[in-house]
Amino acid sequence: MSKQISFTFNGVAVQCEEGQSIAAAVINSGTLALRKTRFGEEPRSVFCGIGICFDCVVVVDGVANQRSCLIEAKADMDIESSS
Amino acid sequence: MQSPDAIVIGAGIVGASSALSLTNAGLKVLVIDRGAVSSGTTGAGEGNILVSDKDPGPELTLALRSRDLWFEMQDDVGDSFELEAKGGVVVARHDDGPLLKLAAEQSQHGVTTQKLNQSSLHELEPYLHPDFHSGVFYPQDAQCQPMLAAAQVIRTVIARGGAFVSQAKVTRIVVENGAVAGIETSKGIFKAPIIINATGTWAGELAEMAGSHLPIAPRKGFILVTEPTKKYVFHKVYDSDYVTNVASSDADLQTSTVVEGTRSGTILIGASRERIGFDGSMNYEILRRLAGQATSLFPVLRDVQLLRAYRGFRPYAPDHLPVIGEDSKVRGLWHSAGHEGAGIGLAPGSAALITDAILGRETFMDGSAFSPHRFATVSL
């Protein structure tokens, strides 16, 4: 069993294993939508899962437009949905 | 479709606008494409509808009329393709003499120009590098999302009795007694007495198939796309070297700085030009150069990520003018191609010209400078 860590997604604590991507951790916690579209508020999640499509972007510790499928979750990260 | 009056080959914006204009004139039009709508150069541009980058002459006359026709076409087919009269801001990187001279000439020919000094320039573009102190504002410059536009225009053609066949590659142009009779495609034979070659960069190949000749060659260009940002770029902003590069006939790589925001929040960065055939490979050196030039105009872009880059092939004619008119050898074969980087802007104007010519109607300008006959003895 690898090490368990925790971070927050839109203010809610998410537990995951160290080494998981942010997207995997959030989806595994039961939340599918990583953000909503800027026009029309449509939910968006992982589409390609390999860093090409930019559908899964989130704000990581204040830095916008980070691809959650590529970035490993780290303890105490503050993740917000992109607006 | 049973016996169309005309077949338009090419479902880019030039073909789509031609089909709409012929349909509105009462013809039954079939549009065919070897791929999907906008799968050629229309799908690889920025959606420029510019008057600012053109010297006085026939292309400017066409551009001015075409720009107005874009707004008429929007009224005709519905607002669905992000058409926006955002205006162009051209800045002088070094000496502003050539830019101001061009603007003075353009203003004698229907182009609205407004000279910008340090303060008015930065009022229009607050994030522009403070070193720029002179420029010209062109309020007529506009932009659209060309793929959406072509799709919506073709939808309208179909709704008005036309038809569209995709994934149909033309394999033969049937010519009988010096006149077109139809085409053979991978999806069957279609007959019509009027065929419009709107195949852009590939128009030369099509002309060859009919036993004729057009010297259209690909002029490759890259565009970078940033992540959506807050609004940093309010107009189409480019440096005045762009006009020189557009007009150059040099085959070697040229880059100039073109930066513009889009309605969806991304920023588009261009523009490179090189004639190296249909070589679709990525070139990171060019991408670096374009990005570097863009940050020299807008330093704030240094902290903005690029999402992707794409490239396309502008249809280049040796004299930089589009080819609009009936073929020099084959009757009933009409060309509307070779618009280079201006095809989006010039599309509805070209469509009006070709429709008027086909129907023998009076038209808004003398289009003889665009005649395919000018290449009767020229080859690349």
Side-chain angles (χ1 to χ4, degrees):
Chain A
M1 189 81 178
S2 49
K3 190 180 160 195
Q4 294 289 307
I5 57 165
S6 144
F7 62 90
T8 60
F9 178 62
N10 293 332
V12 178
V14 172
Q15 315 289 331
C16 71
E17 289 181 14
E18 196 169 46
Q20 279 191 296
S21 68
I22 294 168
V26 170
I27 291 169
N28 194 44
S29 78
T31 302
L32 268 182
L34 292 156
R35 66 177 182 100
K36 289 193 168 138
T37 57
R38 286 160 290 142
F39 312 109
E41 300 269 306
E42 298 286 334
R44 286 293 181 274
S45 187
V46 168
F47 181 67
C48 75
I50 54 171
I52 304 297
C53 76
F54 284 74
D55 240 11
C56 68
V57 291
V58 293
V59 183
V60 179
D61 292 330
V63 183
N65 289 311
Q66 303 300 301
R67 287 163 284 181
S68 61
C69 68
L70 294 188
I71 298 177
E72 274 184 30
K74 297 269 187 272
D76 303 324
M77 270 180 168
D78 174 24
I79 315 289
E80 298 277 337
S81 289
S82 296
S83 53
Chain B
M1 170 185 244
Q2 294 295 311
S3 57
D5 299 316
I7 297 171
V8 174
I9 306 172
I13 193 63
V14 170
S17 325
S18 304
L20 179 65
S21 143
L22 289 164
T23 300
N24 288 347
L27 274 68
K28 211 157 62 166
V29 182
L30 169 68
V31 182
I32 75 150
D33 196 286
R34 66 176 170 188
V37 172
S38 301
S39 52
T41 308
T42 295
E46 293 171 286
N48 284 331
I49 300 168
L50 301 185
V51 298
S52 56
D53 64 341
K54 294 176 180 64
D55 287 319
E59 196 189 4
L60 178 60
T61 308
L62 178 61
L64 281 163
R65 177 72 186 132
S66 199
R67 186 253 178 221
D68 291 343
L69 287 173
W70 260 106
F71 288 87
E72 289 180 25
M73 190 156 81
Q74 182 188 39
D75 290 342
D76 188 21
V77 308
D79 175 13
S80 54
F81 43 81
E82 302 180 13
L83 180 61
E84 192 184 358
K86 61 180 1 183
V89 171
V90 186
V91 295
R93 202 176 270 279
H94 309 291
D95 171 21
D96 64 0
L99 170 63
L100 298 181
K101 181 168 172 284
L102 174 65
E105 289 164 4
Q106 289 167 321
S107 66
Q108 302 294 309
H109 292 84
V111 179
T112 308
T113 63
Q114 188 189 324
K115 186 180 166 356
L116 301 170
N117 59 23
Q118 171 86 24
S119 78
S120 53
L121 180 57
H122 291 271
E123 207 167 292
L124 284 178
E125 289 295 340
Y127 292 93
L128 189 68
H129 194 291
D131 281 358
F132 289 97
H133 56 83
S134 175
V136 175
F137 179 50
Y138 292 88
Q140 289 155 311
D141 278 357
Q143 190 184 20
C144 71
Q145 213 293 10
M147 289 173 271
L148 290 177
Q152 179 60 13
V153 168
I154 287 177
R155 246 181 243 128
T156 307
V157 167
I158 296 167
R160 293 178 186 168
F164 173 54
V165 177
S166 63
Q167 313 296 335
K169 188 168 167 49
V170 176
T171 51
R172 184 172 168 235
I173 296 179
V174 184
V175 179
E176 288 166 3
N177 303 319
V180 287
I183 53 174
E184 293 178 12
T185 77
S186 54
K187 280 196 171 173
I189 297 172
F190 302 94
K191 289 185 175 167
I194 297 167
I195 289 174
I196 291 118
N197 173 14
T199 58
T201 314
W202 298 269
E205 286 173 38
L206 208 94
E208 299 274 326
M209 265 189 218
S212 193
H213 172 73
L214 280 185
I216 307 290
R219 200 176 185 196
K220 183 179 178 182
F222 284 103
I223 291 173
L224 308 180
V225 187
T226 72
E227 63 190 355
T229 65
K230 67 175 251 195
K231 214 159 168 66
Y232 291 134
V233 183
F234 292 80
H235 304 84
K236 181 191 176 75
V237 182
Y238 63 91
D239 83 50
S240 50
D241 294 346
Y242 176 76
V243 181
T244 323
N245 285 358
V246 170
S248 161
S249 298
D250 202 326
D252 293 341
L253 172 69
Q254 293 142 322
T255 58
S256 46
T257 319
V258 183
V259 183
E260 62 194 309
T262 65
R263 217 192 266 181
S264 64
T266 59
I267 295 169
L268 304 181
I269 296 167
S272 64
R273 305 182 124 74
E274 52 185 335
R275 281 199 287 124
I276 50 169
F278 286 103
D279 170 0
S281 57
M282 271 293 159
N283 181 325
Y284 293 98
E285 190 46 46
I286 296 178
L287 303 189
R288 253 194 295 279
R289 213 155 118 176
L290 293 176
Q293 288 172 340
T295 57
S296 74
L297 222 56
F298 290 97
V300 68
L301 296 181
R302 281 190 202 124
D303 296 322
V304 171
Q305 294 188 87
L306 292 173
L307 291 190
R308 61 196 178 95
Y310 58 89
R311 87 285 178 273
F313 300 103
R314 305 175 184 90
Y316 168 93
D319 56 5
H320 302 280
L321 289 176
V323 182
I324 307 168
E326 194 169 23
D327 188 75
S328 55
K329 289 183 180 160
V330 182
R331 288 193 316 282
L333 175 62
W334 297 76
H335 304 290
S336 187
H339 295 76
E340 205 174 324
I344 308 302
L346 300 178
S350 304
L353 269 185
I354 205 149
T355 301
D356 291 340
I358 288 171
L359 300 178
R361 299 194 298 210
E362 202 177 311
T363 195
F364 63 90
M365 70 175 289
D366 173 12
S368 56
F370 309 131
S371 168
H373 298 238
R374 71 188 195 267
F375 298 121
T377 55
V378 177
S379 63
L380 275 187

